[in-house]
Amino acid sequence: MILEGKPPVKVTLKRSARARRLSLRVSRLDGRVTLTLPKRLPMAEAEAFAREKESWLRRQLDSQPDVVPVEFGGTITVEGETLCIAPGQGRSARVEGDRLLVPGQPETAAARVRAFLKLLARDRLVTASDKYANALGVRYGRVTLRDTRSRWGSCSSEGNLMYSWRLILAPPEVLDYVAAHEVAHLVEMNHSAAYWNVVTRLLPDYQAPRRWLRVNGAELHRYRFGD
């Protein structure tokens, strides 16, 4: 549904067999609005609830980080450093000083920057995962990169690791912490005291990057790559 106004607000309606009441959520990561409703609740009642909460909803959206389009002349953080996106030569993007040089036409810049970030993220995350897996004497399966909204990483029961490629935008110690966090699950598939002892063995000062991610993580999702 759409709440008319300036600007219009798109609200995604989601039915849930487990929901006992209406709940309205604004994602801190990308500002998406979701209204969850019980399975048998009339749609008209859900829409009325959204309109009743419109003032609250707009206040939440106003507090979201500004969206930053990825384009020539704009900036983006890469490994915690702010770079200016500028036209470049060659076949792929590269960092040169305080600039991210991107070949091709302006309309392809966002896609090329995203491809560059994904490759760099894979390199850094595989390196960090290898380091921590070797330290623990364990092995993991495959590494998958996604643009996830709800988590920065995960470890499956089969030992496969998943990471958000947007971690490459954060300072290196933050990416490093998430790798340590997920590799530690290869030893303890939980968040018990024993698990956090493993994390501490790998990264004694994990609290600082963990705190950075909690405070600043939403900023990594403000960049839009034309999709």
Side-chain angles (χ1 to χ4, degrees), residues 96-112:
E96 188 174 285
D98 62 355
R99 297 187 299 167
L100 177 56
L101 301 178
V102 184
Q105 299 302 310
E107 59 268 22
T108 67
R112 287 178 178 271

Side-chain angles (χ1 to χ4, degrees), residues 179-194:
H181 183 111
E182 300 310 333
V183 170
H185 281 307
L186 296 169
V187 177
E188 294 284 346
M189 190 60 75
N190 51 58
H191 286 99
S192 64

Side-chain angles (χ1 to χ4, degrees), residues 69-73 85-88 102-115 224-227:
V70 175
E71 58 190 7
F72 287 146
I85 303 170
V102 184
Q105 299 302 310
E107 59 268 22
T108 67
R112 287 178 178 271
V113 170
R114 179 167 52 189
R224 293 292 183 267
F225 294 83
D227 48 14

Side-chain angles (χ1 to χ4, degrees), residues 14 16 18-24 35-38 41 49:
K14 178 183 176 183
S16 170
R18 292 180 293 180
R20 294 292 177 265
R21 59 184 178 83
L22 288 162
S23 64
L24 192 60
L35 176 57
T36 302
L37 56 152
L41 189 84
F49 177 82

Side-chain angles (χ1 to χ4, degrees), residues 62-130:
D62 287 344
S63 68
Q64 295 285 315
D66 293 335
V67 170
V68 178
V70 175
E71 58 190 7
F72 287 146
T75 60
I76 191 169
T77 60
V78 180
E79 298 189 286
E81 298 294 328
T82 300
L83 304 177
C84 180
I85 303 170
Q89 303 297 320
R91 302 182 64 179
S92 58
R94 71 182 190 279
V95 176
E96 188 174 285
D98 62 355
R99 297 187 299 167
L100 177 56
L101 301 178
V102 184
Q105 299 302 310
E107 59 268 22
T108 67
R112 287 178 178 271
V113 170
R114 179 167 52 189
F116 166 79
L117 294 173
K118 286 183 176 181
L119 283 173
L120 186 60
R122 175 169 290 279
D123 176 74
R124 299 293 192 264
L125 285 162
V126 168
T127 298
S129 299
D130 286 347

Side-chain angles (χ1 to χ4, degrees), residues 162-204:
M162 184 283 296
Y163 298 108
S164 168
W165 60 261
R166 287 181 186 259
L167 287 166
I168 198 61
L169 305 175
E173 60 270 20
V174 174
L175 179 148
D176 211 48
Y177 157 68
V178 176
H181 183 111
E182 300 310 333
V183 170
H185 281 307
L186 296 169
V187 177
E188 294 284 346
M189 190 60 75
N190 51 58
H191 286 99
S192 64
Y195 163 78
W196 288 108
N197 286 339
V198 175
V199 175
T200 302
R201 281 167 50 199
L202 294 175
L203 199 65

